[in-house]
Amino acid sequence: MTLSMSVLAIVALLFLDFASFQPNRILPGEGVALTNALSLQWSLPIFGGAVAIAFLSWRPTYNAYLVMLLTATTVIALLPVMAGVFGLERAAEGLRHGRAALGGGFWLAGFFMALIVVEACHKLQAGVWLKLASVIVVGGAIAIAYHYGALEKLSLAQEFHVRQRQFVTEMGAHFSLVFWSMLPSALMGMALAIWATRSEKARRGLFGVLSVLQTIPSLALFGLLIAPLSYLANEFEWLRAIGVQGIGFTPALIALIGYSLLPMTRNAYVALTGTPEPVLEAARGMGMSESQVFLQVRLPLAAPVILEGLRIMTVQTIGLTAVAALIGAGGMGTFIFQGLGQAAMDLVLLGAIPTILFALTADALFAFLTATTRGAP
């Protein structure tokens, strides 16, 4: 796999546009491959890294995978820095107000290198600290390059620079929606799962309702909530006083809670009913009460599967929260829809990339917690 990924990365760098230089935010620039975008001294580390990975992939050993991991991580860290150098060089040629946009070659090469990192970590059976070190190297390189101005001509960095305050605000709104929808969803999901374990009739009806709710498209559900919430806000002053409106935070929160219930409830139900009966009988035989059996035996054994449900719920909620920007709830989706409306792809990426990173971070955190509860961190 690493051989094919490295070859595809080389092809992307050779034949696809690495970047383009636009005279301004509106006018498109002419795309150039990496060989034409940068001089040999700047492009050689990236090409050399991809070729080295392809060479090591012929006879992969433990040490070879370790070198591949370090090389692919370095290439990913270098890609945005090299794109920034391209922008600075073009600006120095007289287009001081221009900006460099990232091309397909850049994104595909980065994607294939990321797959190589994942494959190498899998082959090395890397622990969480090695994976975290790779993320820190890439993030640290980008942060240092941005701090010292190496990325100032990148269009994505320019969009961030002029919207720093709004970026922080929308990021906070995104975090807030995710947190306040997850908290009640987790509690309600656990309560519903316990109820389902005690009644077969309740189980069938409950999962039927939650499954139907899950099939409603997110935009349709957001829209359906606008009219009743607007009516309630007009009829009851105390609802208006606490901020309930037809658009904004309230309908987004209700919809996100509704979507989160099925994965949480289903996983909790499967986890609670999956405890072997002999184990429960042994606990009761030791004199434990039913509440002690639940808290000291059933719940700890069910914890890994419940955490899997939380992981699925969190990643799903982070993605759906971006859509909630359409009804005025804020969040990173604000940049995505503004960018789509203005045909500004860099503005779309300003909202999309943090959302993806947020979801990946949550996924990795819950995967680590799940492995920890299973005794295999």
Side-chain angles (χ1 to χ4, degrees):
M1 178 181 173
T2 53
L3 176 60
S4 57
M5 292 300 104
S6 57
V7 170
L8 287 171
I10 294 170
V11 170
L13 291 169
L14 281 173
F15 299 106
L16 297 180
D17 293 341
F18 178 73
S20 61
F21 196 79
Q22 302 170 271
N24 55 49
R25 188 167 183 256
I26 305 299
L27 293 176
E30 183 178 352
V32 291
L34 180 62
T35 48
N36 296 325
L38 295 169
S39 58
L40 181 63
Q41 61 176 345
W42 290 113
S43 59
L44 187 59
I46 296 177
F47 270 121
V51 172
I53 292 172
F55 178 76
L56 291 169
S57 299
W58 282 105
R59 294 183 180 279
T61 61
Y62 182 89
N63 289 333
Y65 277 117
L66 189 58
V67 175
M68 280 191 270
L69 172 62
L70 296 174
T71 306
T73 302
T74 304
V75 171
I76 294 172
L78 284 176
L79 281 171
V81 179
M82 293 301 107
V85 170
F86 164 74
L88 291 173
E89 287 184 346
R90 288 295 186 276
E93 293 172 359
L95 296 171
R96 289 185 302 169
H97 301 292
R99 48 169 55 194
L102 304 175
F106 174 93
W107 293 112
L108 281 177
F111 174 70
F112 291 132
M113 286 294 150
L115 290 181
I116 291 171
V117 170
V118 173
E119 176 69 6
C121 286
H122 175 69
K123 294 294 184 183
L124 293 169
Q125 297 183 339
V128 65
W129 298 114
L130 186 57
K131 296 174 185 175
L132 186 61
S134 300
V135 174
I136 291 174
V137 167
V138 175
I142 294 173
I144 293 171
Y146 179 81
H147 178 74
Y148 286 102
L151 308 181
E152 66 175 293
K153 287 300 176 183
L154 278 186
S155 53
L156 185 58
Q158 291 189 355
E159 295 289 352
F160 171 74
H161 183 70
V162 298
R163 293 176 173 80
Q164 286 187 55
R165 187 168 297 178
Q166 186 189 3
F167 185 89
V168 173
T169 302
E170 300 300 350
M171 180 64 85
H174 206 104
F175 274 111
S176 176
L177 262 176
V178 171
F179 177 78
W180 289 114
S181 61
M182 279 186 56
L183 187 61
S185 298
L187 297 175
M188 290 169 64
M190 280 299 298
L192 292 173
I194 293 171
W195 181 41
T197 60
R198 296 177 179 176
S199 169
E200 177 63 21
K201 187 177 178 182
R203 184 192 68 80
R204 287 199 299 269
L206 174 65
F207 284 114
V209 171
L210 293 181
S211 297
V212 169
L213 184 61
Q214 194 78 12
T215 59
I216 301 175
S218 56
L219 276 178
L221 185 56
F222 288 141
L224 288 173
L225 289 170
I226 291 176
L229 287 173
S230 297
Y231 172 78
L232 291 173
N234 288 329
E235 290 295 317
F236 302 101
E237 188 175 346
W238 66 272
L239 286 177
R240 288 199 305 275
I242 61 173
V244 173
Q245 297 178 7
I247 60 173
F249 185 84
T250 306
L253 183 67
I254 294 173
L256 292 174
I257 291 174
Y259 281 120
S260 301
L261 281 178
L262 181 61
M264 183 63 209
T265 307
R266 179 179 287 166
N267 272 57
Y269 172 80
V270 170
L272 293 174
T273 56
T275 309
E277 193 59 33
V279 175
L280 300 176
E281 289 300 325
R284 295 187 185 105
M286 294 171 64
M288 288 185 174
S289 63
E290 284 303 316
S291 60
Q292 288 175 318
V293 170
F294 179 79
L295 293 174
Q296 298 180 27
V297 179
R298 197 188 287 268
L299 196 57
L301 290 175
V305 182
I306 293 174
L307 283 172
E308 281 291 336
L310 280 170
R311 183 179 67 83
I312 296 169
M313 182 181 73
T314 306
V315 173
Q316 175 183 285
T317 304
I318 290 170
L320 284 174
T321 301
V323 183
L326 276 176
I327 57 169
M332 302 312 291
T334 303
F335 296 119
I336 296 174
F337 294 113
Q338 282 181 358
L340 290 173
Q342 300 172 20
M345 188 50 63
D346 296 308
L347 193 52
V348 174
L349 293 174
L350 186 64
I353 291 176
T355 304
I356 295 170
L357 293 178
F358 186 16
L360 291 175
T361 303
D363 182 75
L365 177 63
F366 278 105
F368 173 70
L369 291 175
T370 303
T372 302
T373 57
R374 285 177 171 150

